[in-house]
Amino acid sequence: MKFVKASLCLSITLALSACSEQVSVEYHLESAKSYLSNKQINESIIELKNAIRADGKNAEARFILGQIYLNLGDGLVAVKELERAQQFNYAANKVLPLLARAYILTDSDADVLALSEQAAKLANEEHSHYLAYKTLAALRSEQAEQATDSATLAQSIAQQSLYSMLALAYLELSQNNNDAVKTLISRILTIDAEQVDALMLQGQVSMVTKDYQQAALSFESYLNLQPRSGIVQLLLADALLKSGQDKAAEKYADGILAKIDSQPFAHYIKAMVAFNGKDFAKASEHAERALSANFNQFNLRLVAGASAFYLKNWQQSHHHLTMVVKYLPKEHQARRMLAVTQLELGLVGEISATVGDFSVNQAGDAQFISSLSYKLLELGATSEAKKILAQHEASTVINAADNARKGILKLMMNDPSGIQDLQDAVKLDPSFIEAELALAYAALHNNDIKQAREIAIKWQEKYPEKSGGYNLMASIAIKEKKYQQAEQSLKQSLTLAPDNIFALTEQLRLARQQKNESLSKQRVDYLMTLAPSNNKVLRHYFGIYRNDMALEKLQLAYQADNSDIKKAVLVAEAMVTLAQYKQAENLLTNLADTPKLPKRYWQLVVFNHRKQHDVKKVQSALERWLKASPYHIEPVVLLADLHANRGNNERALQVIKRGLDYHQDHLVLQLVKMQLLLNSKKIMPAKTLYKTLAVSAINDALKQGFLGRILLLEEKYDQAIVKLTKLYQVYPSSQNAVYLAGAYMGNKDEPKAAKVLEHHLTVEPHENRIKTMLAGIYLESDTNKAIAVYADVVKKQPNNVIAHNNLAWLYLEQSKLDKALMHAKEAFALAPHIPNVADTYGKVLLKSGDKRAALKYASKAFDLTKGQDIDIQLNYIEALIANSRENEAKDLLSKTLPETDEQTQKKAKILARL
């Protein structure tokens, strides 16, 4: 009974609870609606969530909550709630159009289109509402025909409907009918000023038509109505940025990044604002973050490259700018940036392509091209500098300054047409003093004294109160070595412009040229009081005194301005002059990390190491020089020469190849390469290169000489003699005499070979190489002459192994054993590992009666040749017999296979003795 009562109580309790819950859901819904009518959105959301917590399947609560989120611009949550409302059978005419819009906000275009069949059952107004979103979804899905059908249908069922106009506006925008879009939007907003989809579209079309101010206003209105819309915040920030409202744009970007610190578009906005404010470090930072998130917008890439450029991050700048340069207009500033970046990175080969179509039609364009060419010239990339100047030769902007710059650059590249450019500059602007000055000194440099004097006289007449004309006249007089006239002109210059440095420096040069030491010191001391930090004056000062006191003056000037690399090099140069090599090395080493070291620095480093006879450091310095300045020719030639002198022609050729990679048609490098190929006996590559050199501008005798050496290697001695004779006649060097004599010897004409060498000794009587070769010829024909020549050689070259060895053999043949033994011993001491030297020593010792010593050296010679030299083997057998080792001698003789008649006869004689 008690159980029954308990059960009854429980049933009553459950019933009461259910009733109470039902009241609670309705209460929450009513409260939510009340809050909503009073625009208390957050309170309404809380009540609706309470209602859903009480009844998760309450369709109305789901619908209202989805509608609120949709109106706030929170598409994701709106989709969730509206889908639930639809699932729980909320009225389709209410939920379906809103769900379609929620799908639009979340870019779920396929889901919008999937609602089409259900939407067809809606009343016209609601159907047109849906069709607006269907039109947009179809367009975004690139289904233009379906979009057109959708917009047409909306018009047919509700022509004056706000949403049918919206559908048509979307369609017109896709067809770039911007005016029609604006008209439709205006009509919509007249009906409903807060129609958010129309506001969004108004902002978008305003961006397309570049009405950024209107776009910002439209997006701002949209955001006020739907504050949770993330996308519109980005669109607004972009519109504000493009309308010049950087601070406002950055405010929105900061708000977004506070919530999502990796949002790429917000970083893009920050980068653009920072760049506009010239905060390049910040611009670079935000641009890199946006790009790392694959936000590859053109403007962002451009800002990233330009920011890196201003920060001198050349590698990063090059990376970004190369990706956009092909899309840039010819005159765009970023093209200049990329060219400079390529220059800084040493990518010289890319520069002409970057500025090849650069339009020189604005102020400063020609100056940029000239500056770029000058920088290339400084690097040693002369051909690239010429190419860039040639590309812009027909500039549309013609003025005196540009012509003058171009003329000076051409003269620096040894292009005489620069004179014409300077003359054109003076014609364009007769008052352009600098151009006329450059023209005058260019004429003086080219020994055109007449033109230089005409300009000097003209200046003296036109500008009698200025010193320039007298300075120029003095320079002309110095060129002509008319020192008295030069002194008079300089005095007049100093009267007009007291203490002008040019005139005082020229006075000093006059004194030094006339070797007037006391006057030179007087003048340089005065210059030092006027310009103690002037590098030219400092160089003169040390050049005159050349002592520790002068070095100290240079050091003081450098300490006062230790950023001046030229002063540092000047100090190091003075140290080397005073044989203070270690101090110079320390100073130069401290400068090694300085960017863009001048050529003189590297020349001095190499010279200083050579003075200390440190070949390894010389090689290292040349390699570092070549790496730092790959367009410099000098380190290529010097490094190749260093390897060649060590007998490593292959490495020398590799160095030359690297040089030719940067200077494809450089004649000096081609000539060096030819020498190395011939020295390496690489006939085919030499013949290939000869075809290029044969049509070059080099002297014909050099061409004949190269061909002669090729023929010599091919053993075509008759033809080689003709060519090498021509070479020797024009260039009578000892090396060329050796080539010609070698050709005669190859042709079995030793008398003519000897005649060539004898003649050359009348020109260079102390050339021991010629004497050694000549003595070698005499060995076969005139022993006494050979002895006389070799004796002279060892007198002047006591370490000449060949001369000592051959003298020993010659004296042995004359039975002058003491002399033979002396020279054989000396030769062996100098070169104990040369088989012929050990063999000669053994032969002389045997003839002298020292059998045991003879066997020792004959055995050494035999071991060195490993039995491959028959003459040395026969001599060794003779030494074995002399030392009573007949069995060994017989055994070895039986294995000996003579190759010449002389060897056969000698073997027979030895065999007869056994």
Side-chain angles (χ1 to χ4, degrees):
M1 191 69 182
K2 289 180 181 178
F3 178 76
V4 174
K5 283 184 177 178
S7 299
L8 182 60
C9 289
L10 180 60
S11 298
I12 294 168
T13 303
L14 289 172
L16 289 171
S17 173
C19 183
S20 172
E21 186 177 284
Q22 185 66 35
V23 172
S24 179
V25 170
E26 291 175 358
Y27 172 78
H28 289 310
L29 273 172
E30 289 302 319
S31 296
K33 292 175 183 178
S34 175
Y35 283 130
L36 198 57
S37 65
N38 293 317
K39 296 187 178 180
Q40 293 176 271
I41 305 300
N42 291 334
E43 289 82 353
S44 177
I45 290 172
I46 292 170
E47 290 297 333
L48 289 167
K49 285 183 176 180
N50 286 335
I52 291 169
R53 193 176 294 111
D55 181 7
K57 296 182 178 181
N58 191 296
E60 185 180 11
R62 294 285 186 181
F63 172 76
I64 296 171
L65 187 57
Q67 186 180 44
I68 290 173
Y69 280 124
L70 186 64
N71 289 339
L72 288 173
D74 193 338
L76 284 172
V77 183
V79 165
K80 174 188 170 185
E81 298 301 335
L82 292 170
E83 282 182 340
R84 293 289 180 84
Q86 185 186 39
Q87 180 186 347
F88 300 141
N89 299 316
Y90 196 74
N93 65 323
K94 290 186 178 181
V95 74
L96 202 144
L98 298 190
L99 181 56
R101 182 170 186 271
Y103 284 145
I104 287 291
L105 293 186
T106 56
D107 295 325
S108 305
D109 295 326
D111 291 326
V112 175
L113 299 175
L115 296 174
S116 186
E117 189 175 336
Q118 298 175 56
K121 300 173 184 178
L122 298 176
N124 288 349
E125 185 63 33
E126 287 79 7
H127 193 192
S128 70
H129 190 167
Y130 163 76
L131 289 171
Y133 302 127
K134 181 183 176 181
T135 302
L136 179 57
L139 289 169
R140 294 199 311 199
S141 304
E142 298 184 358
Q143 300 181 49
E145 188 176 345
Q146 188 173 358
T148 302
D149 291 345
S150 177
T152 303
L153 179 58
Q155 288 290 304
S156 67
I157 62 175
Q159 185 174 3
Q160 298 302 315
S161 163
L162 183 149
Y163 287 102
S164 65
M165 287 190 284
L166 185 62
L168 184 57
Y170 287 138
L171 190 64
E172 295 286 4
L173 183 65
S174 71
Q175 296 169 358
N176 298 318
N177 297 327
N178 298 326
D179 290 338
V181 176
K182 289 179 180 180
T183 300
L184 288 165
I185 291 170
S186 178
R187 289 171 60 190
I188 294 169
L189 292 174
T190 300
I191 298 169
D192 182 358
E194 295 185 351
Q195 214 297 321
V196 287
D197 297 316
L199 288 170
M200 173 63 77
L201 188 56
Q202 185 180 51
Q204 290 172 330
V205 76
S206 296
M207 291 295 284
V208 171
T209 58
K210 297 185 179 181
D211 186 354
Y212 301 121
Q213 193 72 38
Q214 178 59 57
L217 291 172
S218 299
F219 291 139
E220 189 172 20
S221 297
Y222 184 102
L223 188 60
N224 289 333
L225 293 167
Q226 302 212 328
R228 293 195 187 181
S229 173
I231 185 64
V232 83
Q233 292 180 54
L234 295 173
L235 294 173
L236 175 56
D238 191 34
L240 289 167
L241 179 70
K242 288 175 178 172
S243 64
Q245 302 177 66
D246 287 2
K247 287 185 178 180
E250 188 171 28
K251 178 183 174 183
Y252 283 105
D254 286 336
I256 294 165
L257 291 173
K259 298 173 185 175
I260 310 171
D261 69 351
S262 60
Q263 216 295 324
F265 197 95
H267 280 295
Y268 157 75
I269 297 294
K270 293 281 288 182
M272 301 300 287
V273 171
F275 186 80
N276 291 342
K278 295 185 170 27
D279 187 345
F280 302 118
K282 191 174 178 182
S284 180
E285 176 192 346
H286 287 289
E288 292 299 330
R289 290 200 63 179
L291 289 166
S292 67
N294 294 320
F295 189 76
N296 293 312
Q297 195 177 72
F298 176 84
N299 282 350
L300 181 64
R301 185 73 66 178
L302 197 56
V303 163
S307 298
F309 173 84
Y310 286 120
L311 294 171
K312 297 186 178 180
N313 188 335
W314 309 120
Q315 196 72 49
Q316 195 168 307
S317 179
H318 180 264
H319 169 70
H320 293 306
L321 293 179
T322 49
M323 296 177 75
V324 298
V325 66
K326 62 182 177 182
Y327 306 111
L328 295 171
K330 295 177 183 179
E331 67 281 356
H332 200 284
Q333 183 71 13
R335 280 182 176 269
R336 299 186 184 193
M337 291 180 179
L338 179 57
V340 173
T341 297
Q342 289 164 337
L343 183 69
E344 293 291 341
L345 292 174
L347 304 173
V348 173
E350 297 180 8
I351 294 175
S352 61
T354 300
V355 299
D357 56 355
F358 187 78
S359 300
V360 183
N361 51 23
Q362 297 180 25
D365 289 346
Q367 186 175 353
F368 169 72
I369 292 298
S370 297
S371 299
L372 190 61
S373 300
Y374 176 74
K375 291 291 184 183
L376 287 168
L377 196 58
E378 272 192 326
L379 285 177
T382 306
S383 60
E384 290 296 326
K386 287 181 177 179
K387 189 188 295 184
I388 288 173
L389 276 184
Q391 284 173 336
H392 302 91
E393 189 75 32
S395 167
T396 55
V397 176
I398 301 176
N399 60 60
D402 291 341
N403 269 336
R405 274 192 295 269
K406 188 163 59 176
I408 292 169
L409 275 169
K410 284 184 178 179
L411 291 172
M412 290 173 71
M413 291 184 271
N414 298 317
D415 182 349
S417 69
I419 295 282
Q420 184 61 53
D421 289 307
L422 289 171
Q423 289 173 339
D424 291 343
V426 175
K427 286 178 185 176
L428 286 167
D429 184 0
S431 64
F432 191 4
I433 294 175
E434 290 82 359
E436 200 160 29
L437 177 66
L439 178 60
Y441 281 100
L444 192 58
H445 179 74
N446 290 333
N447 293 314
D448 189 348
I449 304 294
K450 181 182 177 183
Q451 185 178 13
R453 184 175 280 111
E454 285 174 358
I455 294 172
I457 293 169
K458 172 187 168 184
W459 274 24
Q460 287 176 346
E461 292 174 352
K462 193 172 182 179
Y463 310 108
E465 75 288 354
K466 293 185 178 179
S467 61
Y470 295 100
N471 285 337
L472 179 54
M473 194 64 84
S475 296
I476 295 168
I478 293 172
K479 181 85 172 180
E480 295 178 310
K481 296 186 178 180
K482 296 177 180 178
Y483 299 126
Q484 198 59 41
Q485 288 182 26
E487 286 283 7
Q488 290 300 318
S489 294
L490 291 171
K491 283 181 181 178
Q492 287 176 292
S493 169
L494 289 165
T495 300
L496 293 169
D499 289 341
N500 76 81
I501 298 298
F502 182 90
L504 291 172
T505 306
E506 288 294 274
Q507 276 190 333
L508 174 57
R509 189 158 71 95
L510 270 173
R512 294 191 71 181
Q513 280 194 12
Q514 295 174 84
K515 302 188 185 311
N516 189 331
E517 186 176 347
S518 61
L519 184 58
S520 294
K521 288 182 177 180
Q522 177 188 329
R523 287 178 171 176
V524 81
D525 286 343
Y526 182 66
L527 268 167
M528 283 291 287
T529 63
L530 292 175
S533 63
N534 184 294
N535 289 338
K536 190 174 182 180
V537 172
L538 288 167
R539 181 172 291 280
H540 273 298
Y541 187 81
F542 183 81
I544 291 165
Y545 283 101
R546 287 178 175 266
N547 56 24
D548 289 335
M549 178 271 293
L551 173 59
E552 188 178 352
K553 290 273 189 184
L554 267 59
Q555 288 173 319
L556 288 171
Y558 173 55
Q559 288 167 10
D561 184 10
N562 60 14
S563 63
D564 187 347
I565 188 70
K566 291 182 179 178
K567 280 188 174 64
V569 171
L570 188 55
V571 171
E573 195 173 336
M575 288 173 172
V576 172
T577 302
L578 297 176
Q580 297 180 17
Y581 304 126
K582 286 297 179 185
Q583 294 91 322
E585 185 175 348
N586 290 336
L587 175 56
L588 292 167
T589 301
N590 289 337
L591 299 171
D593 293 330
T594 306
K596 296 183 182 178
L597 287 162
K599 182 187 287 189
R600 185 59 186 152
Y601 167 86
W602 292 110
Q603 290 172 332
L604 199 54
V605 171
V606 172
F607 181 74
N608 190 48
H609 289 320
R610 278 184 171 168
K611 279 291 185 179
Q612 298 176 79
H613 308 291
D614 194 330
V615 180
K616 284 186 177 180
K617 284 187 176 180
V618 170
Q619 180 177 332
S620 174
L622 288 170
E623 287 169 349
R624 286 185 287 114
W625 182 0
L626 197 54
K627 183 178 179 181
S629 305
Y631 280 88
H632 284 185
I633 297 295
E634 193 172 343
V636 177
V637 175
L638 292 175
L639 187 56
D641 185 58
L642 185 146
H643 289 311
N645 287 338
R646 289 175 167 180
N648 196 337
N649 287 327
E650 282 302 318
R651 285 197 69 180
L653 281 167
Q654 287 172 10
V655 172
I656 294 298
K657 180 182 179 299
R658 180 179 173 184
L660 286 168
D661 287 341
Y662 289 93
H663 301 276
Q664 189 174 1
D665 301 318
H666 200 280
L667 190 55
V668 171
L669 295 182
Q670 289 176 333
L671 292 173
V672 174
K673 183 179 180 181
M674 177 60 93
Q675 291 285 2
L676 291 169
L677 289 172
L678 291 170
N679 292 345
S680 304
K681 298 182 181 180
K682 296 190 174 189
I683 299 174
M684 291 311 296
K687 290 176 80 170
T688 301
L689 180 56
Y690 176 74
K691 291 177 182 178
T692 301
L693 292 174
V695 295
S696 68
I698 63 172
N699 186 285
D700 184 63
L702 279 177
K703 296 177 185 178
Q704 299 284 342
F706 286 135
L707 183 55
R709 288 190 63 191
I710 291 170
L711 292 167
L712 187 60
L713 290 172
E714 292 180 320
E715 299 182 2
K716 298 176 180 177
Y717 300 116
D718 281 338
Q719 298 174 54
I721 287 168
V722 176
K723 306 297 182 184
L724 293 171
T725 299
K726 175 76 172 180
L727 175 68
Y728 181 70
Q729 287 171 347
V730 179
Y731 299 105
S733 69
S734 60
Q735 184 61 64
N736 291 340
V738 168
Y739 293 142
L740 181 55
Y744 278 119
M745 290 173 70
N747 209 36
K748 309 297 183 184
D749 195 344
E750 279 77 7
K752 285 188 178 178
K755 189 175 179 181
V756 169
L757 298 172
E758 287 167 348
H759 167 75
H760 193 78
L761 284 174
T762 64
V763 179
E764 291 186 88
H766 303 298
E767 181 51 72
N768 290 313
R769 182 171 52 159
I770 298 294
K771 290 179 181 178
T772 302
M773 190 175 183
L774 182 59
I777 296 173
Y778 288 156
L779 281 173
E780 303 296 328
S781 59
D782 193 329
T783 302
N784 289 328
K785 275 188 176 182
I787 289 173
V789 174
Y790 280 134
D792 185 58
V793 171
V794 296
K795 184 178 180 181
K796 294 182 173 64
Q797 286 185 318
N799 293 333
N800 191 310
V801 176
I802 294 173
H804 279 297
N805 185 73
N806 290 357
L807 271 174
W809 196 267
L810 289 167
Y811 281 129
L812 177 65
E813 289 183 340
Q814 291 183 348
S815 297
K816 295 179 179 179
L817 298 181
D818 289 342
K819 288 185 177 180
L821 195 58
M822 178 184 72
H823 287 292
K825 185 178 181 179
E826 188 67 34
F828 185 80
L830 290 167
H833 300 298
I834 295 178
N836 286 329
V837 171
D839 178 61
T840 301
Y841 196 15
K843 192 75 175 172
V844 172
L845 286 166
L846 186 62
K847 195 76 178 278
S848 302
D850 193 343
K851 298 176 184 179
R852 292 185 66 183
L855 180 59
K856 174 184 174 182
Y857 291 104
S859 174
K860 183 175 180 64
F862 178 72
D863 290 341
L864 286 169
T865 61
K866 298 179 180 178
Q868 300 302 309
D869 188 304
I870 303 301
D871 289 318
I872 288 176
Q873 191 163 312
L874 291 168
N875 290 338
Y876 175 49
I877 292 170
E878 285 185 319
L880 287 169
I881 294 170
N883 282 275
S884 302
R885 293 165 63 173
E886 286 85 356
N887 290 335
E888 288 180 59
K890 283 181 182 179
D891 183 57
L892 185 58
L893 190 63
S894 68
K895 298 174 183 177
T896 303
L897 302 174
E899 296 174 348
T900 65
D901 291 341
E902 188 178 348
Q903 290 169 354
T904 302
Q905 291 171 12
K906 188 171 183 178
K907 179 181 178 180
K909 287 179 181 178
I910 294 172
L911 189 60
R913 291 166 56 192
L914 291 170

